[in-house]
Amino acid sequence: MSRLGTISAFALAALALLAAPAARAAEEAHLTVLHTTDLHGALTAWDYVSDRAAPSGLSRIATLVKRARAEGAPLLLLDAGDALQGSPLEAIWHERGAEGPEPMMAAMSRLGYDAMAVGNHEFSYGPDARRRARADATFPWLAANIVGADGTPAFAASVVRTAGALKVGIVGITTPATPALEDSANLAGLRFVPAIEAAQREVERLRGAEHCDVVVLLAHTGYEAPDAPAGDVPDENIGGALARRLTGVDLVILGHTHTVIPSLEVGTTLVTQAGSHASRLGRVDLTLTRSAPTERWTIASRKATVTAVRDSVAPDPDVEAAAKPLHDLTRAALAETLAFAAHPIAAPRGRLEDGALWELIQRAQLDATGADVSLAALPDPTLRLAGAIRRRDVMGLYPYDNTLGIVTLTGAELLATLERSARYLAPAPLVFVCSDGERVTGFKGRVPDRTQKRILNAKGFGGEREQRSLYCADLAHEAIKAMRQAVLVEGEFDCLVWWSWALSHGKAINWIALGGTSKPSPMTFKRLHELGAETVLLALDDDQPGHLATAAAVGFAWQAGLEPVVIQMPSGCKDPDDVFTRVGPKIGLETMSSNLWSAPEWLVRHWVGLYPPDSAAGVARILAEARRTGACAPPIALAAITTGVARAFGLAVTVVRTDLLHAAAEARRQLALQQFEYWAREIQTLKPQALPHALARGQAVPEALEGGSTP
């Protein structure tokens, strides 16, 4: 018997379901959605500013796409906008006459993209360039919320694709803030209508007249920060509102903000975002089932991941060959020497302090305009000019083809402008909570100003580890409520590594780190939920004790109503401190941000590694773990665990599902019974005035015992 046959036999024996097979196996359909966003002209695997190979580029993405297609499942390839402008390659192509097809559209067409949402930078080169690029694409540009002056659609609102047995509707949305972000001349004859209403109308049409089984919203807008400073461009980022308010949408793919959202559940909608500049490839795998051909498909499991593009991924030779003439032209143009710097020109404190790099930009703008005051941006505060200044250095200083404008301002308006810029620094959402006072004193008591709510510190707090962890969570309550997430690390020193690096670089990272969690406690997760957290990222040690702690933490998070996500340490690294030591803080944070696993997927992999499923004992242990976990897992997580276990054993999903659902219901009944016994003992010791409340609480227990739920 083959190994797979042995595993299946063991599994069937453990399940004891051979005598009662399902009357009719449910029909399954699978769909894979790959997605990119904010490519900004990142066509080749080359960094034109540093003039060296880069671990990014659409040519490397092409290789990953081909690998995914080779798996055989029905697949769609989508982009969430801003494919144009933002790279030296795009700038040189436009400067040298724009000969031939638009480079990014030609490459994306070669890759077989199915659709792209229109981004605000699709308008940046002007109406003629936009119309030409759109004509060069073999896939539709989607924007349901943009119409012409007469009210007719300016772009397609949606497109329907057939993927295997499924009809998939894809709706496009462009950030409503585009008129405030782009030159009005580039938007002549166009009007933006309310995005949510436009999207809902199109979703209803796709579900109704088009009979779509799956609906995807492809939106060039970010997930709005709950603590965004007042006065920002209105409705620039409405991804959360789209996910919460739209009905009938299964998947929301976001863009615009260049951030990474591997997987986020907002109600019944899955939200994801794949970074920028072809440095990430997003993937969503959906499994749908139906019991009869006349019934509608329903989603049984879903998983979203975002994978970082590595330099080990070879560029696709076809894409590279097509881009080579423009690649060579761009490198030659950027090698031109413009000036010579006798002394280094840099901004040592970045955007937080004046520097020679700032001075260079401001003087150039004043000389060009004759204005009294210069207001400028600093896209890359880490740039340093020294010796010969080549054109590639200037491209690094200002990657976008921005235009220089002259305006008349009063003193009060100028002050208001500066205050608005300052607000982007004040609410920095970086909050590192460290629970070990002795470690903190190693930094000589250098504690930042707490009024900035940047870093909160539990210095000097003693007590048991669990008490310290709870105290840290309470200190971070404002940030947890604002960010709706927390990151747990095993060691206090890991917190301090992140803390000190971020402090010295003036960085803001959308993470809250809680130290001291090597022995996770249910109380910590319950408190995080009470403080407003929705997601908890687990960055525990990559060893057997750390894995066991992570598995326990996943269960505690689900019990507390939180969504757990596991941060997988890179190969060869034990913990965040090790990651930072090996690759540096900046790359370390990017690496850990991209190495995220959904809790169900991580659990199944952990169980299979701990108990190999090639023996009866291993099968029994894995099933026991799955049954125990199923008692606290939410339905979508239980469905993912079911699929993972079924694949590990080579069984039909329906067989494993029946077993785990029964086990989960029984486990909840046992838990309810334990709670009832505890309540019965407790009520005997209560004072009379406490009895009414206790009796009211006890009334829920019999109902739970009857229905298999937990009171």
Side-chain angles (χ1 to χ4, degrees):
M1 182 181 291
S2 68
R3 181 177 181 274
L4 181 59
T6 302
I7 293 173
S8 299
F10 282 139
L12 288 169
L15 287 168
L17 291 172
L18 282 172
R24 181 188 182 96
E27 183 183 1
E28 284 191 351
H30 300 276
L31 173 65
T32 296
V33 179
L34 302 183
H35 59 96
T36 55
T37 187
D38 295 272
L39 297 172
H40 288 293
L43 173 55
T44 64
W46 197 261
D47 182 340
Y48 292 98
V49 173
S50 62
D51 199 30
R52 62 186 179 190
S56 59
L58 194 59
S59 60
R60 295 192 198 271
I61 293 284
T63 299
L64 297 177
V65 170
K66 287 184 176 180
R67 290 179 186 174
R69 285 183 171 140
E71 296 174 12
L75 183 147
L76 297 177
L77 179 58
L78 308 175
D79 185 83
D82 272 8
L84 311 181
Q85 200 194 51
S87 76
L89 185 141
E90 279 274 334
I92 296 300
W93 183 75
H94 280 275
E95 178 187 293
R96 300 297 173 92
E99 296 181 359
E102 204 290 323
M104 290 300 292
M105 294 300 99
M108 293 171 71
S109 298
R110 186 175 290 107
L111 264 66
Y113 271 80
D114 290 284
M116 180 186 83
V118 178
N120 56 289
H121 278 288
E122 266 66 76
F123 300 94
S124 297
Y125 281 122
D128 292 339
R130 180 184 74 246
R131 283 189 285 267
R132 176 179 174 180
R134 184 181 176 188
D136 288 337
T138 59
F139 50 89
W141 289 22
L142 306 179
N145 62 320
I146 304 179
V147 299
D150 59 356
T152 58
F155 302 90
S158 67
V159 66
V160 176
R161 298 296 191 202
T162 299
L166 303 173
K167 286 188 69 176
V168 183
I170 306 159
V171 182
I173 288 292
T174 304
T175 172
T178 300
L181 301 174
E182 294 293 330
D183 191 321
S184 59
N186 295 338
L187 301 172
L190 300 177
R191 183 164 55 88
F192 283 71
V193 299
I196 294 177
E197 290 81 352
Q200 186 63 66
R201 285 194 299 271
E202 197 60 23
V203 170
E204 291 173 359
R205 190 187 70 80
L206 293 173
R207 288 291 190 186
E210 295 290 347
H211 304 290
C212 288
D213 305 299
V214 177
V215 173
V216 178
L217 180 67
L218 196 56
H220 188 77
T221 183
Y223 195 87
E224 60 270 37
D227 59 344
D232 282 357
V233 178
D235 294 331
E236 180 175 1
N237 296 308
I238 58 170
L242 288 167
R244 287 189 298 271
R245 294 175 56 184
L246 292 179
T247 58
V249 174
D250 301 299
L251 172 64
V252 174
I253 297 174
L254 299 177
H256 187 60
T257 53
H258 295 195
T259 57
V260 176
I261 302 177
S263 180
L264 177 65
E265 291 187 9
V266 180
T268 59
T269 304
L270 187 62
V271 179
T272 186
Q273 185 175 345
S276 66
H277 296 89
S279 64
R280 303 284 194 279
L281 178 64
R283 174 169 178 156
V284 179
D285 290 293
L286 301 176
T287 299
L288 293 90
T289 60
R290 64 181 180 184
S291 58
T294 56
E295 293 190 1
R296 295 185 66 89
W297 291 99
T298 59
I299 294 179
S301 68
R302 57 187 183 180
K303 180 182 70 173
T305 57
V306 175
T307 301
V309 179
R310 310 293 186 189
D311 55 9
S312 58
V313 177
D316 180 78
D318 294 335
V319 176
E320 288 281 301
K324 190 177 187 306
L326 180 57
H327 168 73
D328 293 340
L329 178 64
T330 302
R331 290 188 66 196
L334 297 184
E336 178 188 359
T337 299
L338 304 179
F340 187 87
H343 303 285
I345 302 174
R349 291 284 293 163
R351 302 182 180 94
L352 305 179
E353 189 176 279
D354 196 10
L357 202 59
W358 276 116
E359 191 73 13
L360 176 63
I361 298 171
Q362 307 284 18
R363 286 187 178 181
Q365 293 191 166
L366 290 174
D367 288 346
T369 62
D372 300 308
V373 177
S374 171
L375 298 171
L378 187 63
D380 186 0
T382 66
L383 191 68
R384 184 176 182 271
L385 304 178
I389 301 177
R390 296 178 175 83
R391 189 172 178 187
R392 68 169 46 91
D393 302 318
V394 178
M395 282 285 191
L397 182 59
Y398 249 90
Y400 298 105
D401 299 326
N402 291 341
T403 55
L404 189 59
I406 305 174
V407 296
T408 300
L409 296 176
T410 65
E413 289 170 335
L414 178 60
L415 177 61
T417 301
L418 295 174
E419 289 292 346
R420 174 172 175 151
S421 295
R423 283 199 298 271
Y424 283 91
L425 300 177
L430 172 64
V431 179
F432 291 125
V433 182
C434 178
S435 60
D436 188 332
E438 294 181 0
R439 300 275 191 175
V440 174
T441 56
F443 284 80
K444 300 180 181 179
R446 184 179 56 174
V447 180
D449 182 0
R450 292 190 185 183
T451 61
Q452 294 187 22
K453 300 175 184 176
R454 185 185 299 270
I455 298 176
L456 299 171
N457 178 349
K459 177 181 178 181
F461 183 78
E464 296 298 324
R465 183 179 293 270
E466 178 182 332
Q467 294 175 318
R468 294 203 304 270
S469 183
L470 290 173
Y471 179 61
C472 292
D474 287 341
L475 282 180
H477 72 277
E478 291 186 9
I480 291 173
K481 183 178 180 180
M483 299 307 302
R484 299 180 185 174
Q485 68 178 17
V487 177
L488 273 71
V489 297
E490 184 163 325
E492 289 83 355
F493 187 67
D494 293 333
C495 270
L496 290 176
V497 170
W498 299 5
W499 175 78
S500 60
W501 176 81
L503 177 64
S504 63
H505 288 74
K507 296 289 184 180
I509 307 162
N510 296 334
W511 281 10
I512 303 159
L514 288 160
T517 57
S518 60
K519 295 181 179 179
S521 162
M523 291 302 297
T524 299
F525 296 89
K526 181 180 178 182
R527 187 65 181 140
L528 286 173
H529 184 264
E530 292 171 351
L531 294 174
E534 296 176 358
T535 304
V536 57
L537 286 81
L538 306 172
L540 307 186
D541 287 2
D542 191 11
D543 53 20
Q544 186 167 350
H547 294 168
L548 294 175
T550 300
V554 168
F556 294 151
W558 278 334
Q559 290 173 3
L562 298 171
E563 174 64 24
V565 178
V566 180
I567 300 178
Q568 180 68 36
M569 296 300 140
S571 177
C573 297
K574 178 177 178 290
D575 53 30
D577 177 38
D578 199 12
V579 176
F580 278 27
T581 301
R582 290 172 181 262
V583 302
K586 181 178 180 180
I587 297 177
L589 280 170
E590 293 177 352
T591 301
M592 288 189 291
S593 297
S594 62
N595 287 348
L596 301 184
W597 289 71
S598 70
E601 182 181 15
W602 184 91
L603 282 172
V604 173
R605 193 182 66 150
H606 168 62
W607 295 333
V608 171
L610 203 59
Y611 316 114
D614 53 1
S615 67
V619 169
R621 294 296 297 271
I622 293 174
L623 285 172
E625 294 285 359
R627 289 164 177 163
R628 182 165 49 249
T629 304
C632 59
I636 193 71
L638 182 59
I641 291 173
T642 299
T643 302
V645 171
R647 288 176 178 172
F649 294 159
L651 292 174
V653 171
T654 51
V655 176
V656 180
R657 182 186 299 123
T658 300
D659 179 80
L660 294 189
L661 287 175
H662 174 77
E666 179 60 28
R668 285 192 290 268
R669 279 193 289 268
Q670 291 297 324
L671 179 59
L673 183 59
Q674 292 174 8
Q675 292 178 341
F676 179 77
E677 292 173 348
Y678 174 81
W679 171 82
R681 290 192 300 270
E682 177 191 25
I683 202 170
Q684 298 177 34
T685 63
L686 294 177
K687 296 180 180 180
Q689 58 268 29
L691 286 174
H693 174 71
L695 289 172
R697 184 160 51 89
Q699 288 177 354
V701 177
E703 298 176 4
L705 287 169
E706 180 68 23
S709 61
T710 302

